[in-house]
Amino acid sequence: MVKATILGAAGGIGQPLSLLLRLNKKIDELSLYDIVNTVGVAADLSHIPTHQVIKGYAPKDKNDSKTIKVALKDSDIVIIPAGIPRKPGMTRDDLFKINAGIVKNLVHQAGLSCPDAFICVISNPVNSTVPIAVEELKRLGVYNPRKMFGITTLDNLRLEEFLSSALAGKVPASDLYGDAIAIGGHSGDSIVPLINGWGKNFGSKEEEYTKLVKRVQFGGDEVVKAKDGKGSATLSMATAAYRFVNNLLDAITAADGSTVKEVAFVKIDELKTKKVPLFISKHTQYFSLPIVIGKDGIELVEFPEYLSEPEVLMTKHAVEKVKLDVIKGFNFVHGSK
Ligand code: NAI
C-alpha cells in the first residue's frame, strides 16, 4: 500500500500533478492538502475510475493543525508544491520570505505525522527550501538524508527539449533523457546543463551553445513572461515532478530490489558518493547530481563521467551560488550567527 500526499494540491502545479498521480497504478491512496479548494479538486478527480482512495483536506481555519495531520498520516511520499510562484521581474530568491515559512511549517507537520516518508520539495527557491526542510526534520530528530529530494527535474526536461531543438531535431528529445542532464542548483546560473558528447555538434558555433545554456538556466523566465503576471511554469513542472515521483515509486515498490537513476538536489555530505570532486564536496553540502534510488531511498550520489572545460567552470560558479543559498536556508531555521 502506497500513500502519496501533495501539500499545495489545489495550485497551478498541484492540480495537474494530482491528476497525473490519480492515474498512477502504484499509488493506493492519494491525499490532497491545500489551504483552499482541495475538497473540490479531490471530488472532481474522484470521478476518474481507478483503484485509488482519494481524499481532499483543507484546514477549517488558521488555527486548525489537526486536518493536515490527518492528511499526512502514514504517507510514504510527501510532495510539496505549496507557496507563491514568481511574477515578472521576480527571481526565485524573491519568493524566499514567504515560501521559507510555508515549507518549514509543512515539513514540520510531515516530520510529526509521517517521519519515515520520502519528501520531495518543489517550492522555490529550492536551493534554500531543501536546507530548511532538512534542518526542520533534524530539529525533530527524524531526518533521513536518503529520503530528502529537491525537485530539479524541470531543468532536465528543458535541457532535453532545448538541446533537441538546438540540434535541429536530429536527435529526438526522448533520446536525450538521462544522457544530457542538468546539475548544480535550481536558479539561474546555478543550473549547469551538461550536454555530454553532443558538444561536438555545435562545432565552432559557440554562440549557439551559449544560447542553449542560457535558455536552460533562464527557461523559467520565458514562462513567467509569457504568463504575464499569472504565475510560473505549472504544466511542465507537474510533468517533471510526475516523472521524478513515478521513478521514485518504481524504486520503492520494486519487488526484485532493482534501482532507478534520477537527478535531484540532495545533501551530498551525508550520502554515499562516487567520484564527486573536491571542488564540489569541499565547498557545499548540497548539490543537484545524479542519484541511484533503491527501496530505502538514495543509495549513491554519482558524479557524471564527462564534463567539458566550460561545464567545469559553470559547476564551480554554481558551487559558490548554492553555498550562499544553503546558508540562507540554514539561518532561516537556526537564526543567523
Ligand atoms: P500556485 O500559487 O498556483 O499554487 C500554490 C498553492 O500552494 C496554492 O494553491 C496555495 O493555496 C497553496 N498554499 C499556500 N500556502 C500553503 C500552506 N501553508 N499549506 C498548503 N498549501 C498552501 O503556485 P504554483 O505555480 O503551483 O507554484 C508553487 C511553487 O512551486 C512555487 O514556489 C514555485 O516557485 C515553485 N516552482 C518550482 C519549480 C521547480 O522546478 N522546483 C518550477 C515551477 C514552480
Side-chain angles (χ1 to χ4, degrees):
M1 287 288 285
V2 174
K3 174 173 173 180
T5 299
I6 306 181
L7 305 177
I13 296 167
Q15 289 205 35
L17 181 58
S18 300
L19 169 62
L20 292 167
L21 293 176
R22 171 69 177 160
L23 304 173
N24 189 296
K25 293 196 168 64
K26 281 165 250 145
I27 295 173
D28 302 290
E29 181 173 346
L30 187 61
S31 169
L32 308 181
Y33 178 86
D34 200 304
I35 47 175
V36 289
N37 298 339
T38 0
V39 176
V41 172
D44 192 355
L45 291 174
S46 75
H47 292 192
I48 301 171
T50 80
H51 76 292
Q52 272 175 11
V53 171
I54 182 164
K55 287 184 187 149
Y57 302 91
K60 289 178 195 72
D61 53 51
K62 271 193 183 160
N63 303 318
D64 173 9
S65 62
K66 275 196 193 134
T67 304
I68 188 165
K69 289 191 168 63
V70 181
L72 283 165
K73 193 173 176 328
D74 298 328
S75 297
D76 300 286
I77 301 179
V78 177
I79 308 147
I80 311 181
I84 56 154
R86 282 191 295 158
K87 302 249 159 59
M90 284 171 96
T91 64
R92 290 182 184 87
D93 210 41
D94 292 330
L95 305 175
F96 182 86
K97 280 194 200 95
I98 296 169
N99 291 355
I102 293 176
V103 170
K104 181 169 176 282
N105 291 336
L106 293 176
V107 169
H108 180 87
Q109 292 298 339
L112 295 178
S113 301
C114 50
D116 226 14
F118 291 88
I119 312 269
C120 306
V121 179
I122 295 173
S123 315
N124 271 319
V126 165
N127 297 359
S128 304
T129 50
V130 173
I132 288 172
V134 166
E135 293 308 316
E136 193 54 29
L137 292 183
K138 279 191 177 177
R139 264 165 34 123
L140 292 174
V142 295
Y143 167 61
N144 180 348
R146 298 181 64 190
K147 294 189 163 185
M148 175 64 72
F149 311 95
I151 306 301
T152 55
T153 324
L154 182 54
D155 304 325
N156 285 276
L157 259 65
R158 287 185 179 136
L159 174 57
E160 291 155 29
E161 178 59 25
F162 301 164
L163 177 57
S164 173
S165 332
L167 297 172
K170 275 182 247 152
V171 185
S174 55
D175 284 8
L176 296 169
Y177 178 13
D179 188 18
I181 58 166
I183 64 168
H186 175 67
S187 66
D189 57 4
S190 77
I191 301 169
V192 184
L194 304 181
I195 60 170
N196 209 356
W198 300 105
K200 61 180 180 300
N201 293 276
F202 290 96
S204 56
K205 290 186 244 156
E206 204 178 306
E207 236 175 67
E208 291 291 301
Y209 171 66
T210 309
K211 226 161 84 186
L212 168 73
V213 168
K214 292 274 172 254
R215 192 162 181 222
V216 175
Q217 292 178 328
F218 297 95
D221 296 356
E222 279 181 28
V223 182
V224 171
K225 199 167 160 229
K227 288 196 175 177
D228 196 18
K230 300 213 164 51
S232 58
T234 54
L235 302 173
S236 50
M237 182 57 229
T239 308
Y242 182 76
R243 181 163 102 179
F244 184 87
V245 173
N246 188 39
N247 281 338
L248 176 62
L249 283 161
D250 275 350
I252 66 175
T253 59
D256 60 357
S258 54
T259 56
V260 170
K261 288 197 171 197
E262 253 299 345
V263 180
F265 187 79
V266 296
K267 192 161 192 307
I268 49 176
D269 65 330
E270 290 173 326
L271 292 162
K272 195 173 156 202
T273 58
K274 188 175 147 197
K275 290 187 184 160
V276 175
L278 275 179
F279 73 77
I280 297 178
S281 58
K282 224 179 131 190
H283 299 286
T284 178
Q285 297 170 343
Y286 293 81
F287 221 55
S288 189
L289 282 173
I291 51 174
V292 177
I293 315 173
K295 193 167 68 61
D296 299 319
I298 301 167
E299 296 191 351
L300 188 65
V301 181
E302 289 181 306
F303 195 70
E305 283 294 315
Y306 174 77
L307 260 72
S308 67
E309 227 172 275
E311 288 170 348
V312 171
L313 287 178
M314 281 191 280
T315 308
K316 287 185 175 165
H317 178 72
V319 167
E320 291 309 310
K321 293 211 94 173
V322 169
K323 195 166 86 180
L324 296 178
D325 292 343
V326 167
I327 292 172
K328 206 169 167 189
F330 183 93
N331 286 346
F332 182 78
V333 178
H334 297 287
S336 43
K337 299 224 164 75

